[in-house]
């Protein structure tokens, strides 16, 4: 069975924790897009780990983890991450592989990335990790892949600085290289988990362009970056938070008003630890945007949703969610492509009673307060998609499974 986990918002939804949890029943975990611009936080037994490139399933000693064809890989960041894991007792030897079709981030791309964003009249707010430049080089057919490291003629085309940078990594990268499509073909009966990066609303085609990432963070990206056909995917899970966040510039229609809702914004940001894993930047916060969440469900064929950070609302007397936009005096119920419309959108809010009770000790969904269940079930009806998993804390065990994704 092949299951895809994507972000259903603007990234930072808690995919890392969910992939780590679900990886217990998988045999192979494939990260299919993005690069070191992603940040996944995993908490196991109170100990916190931050991953940027390696799939979250690495913490299970019997799992194979693979960096897919749709990824762009910074060798410095990769081997630093491997060293960090090994130093903390996580043995990665013989368990971490890279698709030979994945592209490599070169140091000069990182500087170009920073310079280009700084020169924009309206900066996008990239992480400055060279990700967009690497994807641009890939599209221009000027990039270099893992498979090209044995192609002497190709290497000779590179600047001397690029060759000097790559030289100490070539053998190590080649030792980890695999033909991903063939590898999975020979393991067609395995449970495979495909891990996305960023979120649907940062996807190059489906997201709030140009304020997006440069890769395919939608579910369709799993087929391309995971080297499988789209009909091989059995299930798509969309992860979302009980509220909305965004890092960097771009529209966030349900964002808390900085004047009237500053206290609420700081409460959600601090309680939810809403600071970028990769950059440390504070995330912009707002009400749960159900218009964009429904759009994510439709454009990704999401079979079921995974809700995280519900516990952040434990102490609030009432909760609001955005159920439509008011744009130019008109009510808009669908997610528009126009950035101007999104920037001018005012959220139409619906209120829900809070539960004023900690969810931390709940072991089953039935133990939730009725108000929490009503909030969840409204979201299900609005998006016409079931919420099968609810996370109520950072630790692996703080996860309520209503229905296992490993069932067809």
């Amino acid at each position: 069975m092949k299951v895809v986990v994507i972000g259903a918002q603007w990234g930072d939804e808690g995919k890392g924790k969910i992939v780590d949890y679900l990886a217990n029943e998988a045999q192979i975990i494939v990260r299919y897009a993005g690069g070191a611009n992603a940040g996944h936080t995993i908490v196991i037994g109170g100990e916190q780990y931050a991953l940027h490139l390696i799939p979250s399933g690495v913490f299970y000693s019997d799992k194979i983890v693979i960096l897919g064809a749709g990824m762009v890989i910074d060798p410095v960041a990769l081997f630093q991450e491997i060293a960090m894991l090994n130093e903390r007792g996580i043995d990665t030897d013989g368990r971490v592989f890279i698709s030979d079709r994945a592209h490599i981030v070169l140091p000069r791309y990182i500087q170009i990335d920073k310079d280009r964003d700084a020169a924009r009249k309206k900066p996008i707010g990239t992480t400055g990790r060279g990700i967009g430049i690497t994807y641009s080089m890939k599209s221009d057919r000027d990039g270099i892949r893992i498979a090209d490291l044995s192609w002497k003629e190709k290497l000779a085309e590179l600047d001397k600085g690029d060759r000097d940078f790559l030289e100490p990594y070539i053998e190590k990268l080649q030792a980890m290289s695999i033909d991903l499509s063939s590898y999975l073909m020979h393991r067609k009966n395995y449970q495979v988990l495909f891990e996305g990066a960023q979120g649907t609303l940062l996807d190059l085609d489906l997201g709030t362009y140009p304020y997006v990432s440069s890769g395919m963070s939608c579910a369709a990206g799993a087929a391309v970056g995971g080297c499988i056909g789209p009909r091989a995917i059995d299930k798509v899970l969309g992860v979302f938070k009980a509220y909305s966040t965004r890092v960097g510039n771009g529209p966030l229609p349900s964002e808390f008003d900085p004047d009237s809702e500053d206290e609420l914004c700081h409460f959600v940001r601090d309680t939810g630890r809403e600071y970028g894993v990769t950059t440390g930047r504070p995330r912009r916060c707002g009400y749960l945007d159900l218009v964009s969440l429904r759009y994510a469900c439709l454009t990704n064929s999401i079979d079921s949703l995974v809700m995280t950070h519900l516990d952040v609302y434990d102490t609030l007397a009432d909760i609001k969610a955005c159920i439509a936009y008011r744009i130019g005096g008109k009510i808009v119920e669908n997610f528009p492509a126009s950035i101007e419309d999104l920037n001018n959108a005012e959220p139409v809010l619906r209120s829900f009673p809070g539960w004023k009770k900690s969810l931390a000790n709940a072991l089953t969904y039935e133990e939730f307060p009725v108000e929490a269940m009503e909030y969840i079930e409204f979201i299900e009806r609005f998006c016409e998609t079931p919420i099968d998993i609810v996370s109520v804390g950072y630790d692996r065990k703080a996860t309520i499974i209503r229905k296992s994704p490993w069932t067809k």
Side-chain angles (χ1 to χ4, degrees), residues 7 36 44 47 50 80 83 156 161 181 195 226 240 271 276 283 309 352 360 388:
I44 304 170
E47 190 166 356
Q80 284 178 347
S181 61
E195 175 182 15
F240 76 102
T271 307
R283 296 176 185 139
H309 288 66
F352 302 85
D388 287 343

Side-chain angles (χ1 to χ4, degrees), residues 15 24 27 34 79 83 90 126 128 194 202 205 258 307-308 310 314 319 322 328 339 342-343 401 405:
K15 296 181 297 297
N24 182 47
Q27 292 152 297
F79 289 107
I90 309 299
T126 75
F194 292 88
L202 293 176
D205 293 300
M307 186 183 209
T308 66
L310 183 60
D314 280 353
I319 295 160
C322 171
I339 297 301
L342 288 169
N343 283 337
I401 305 293

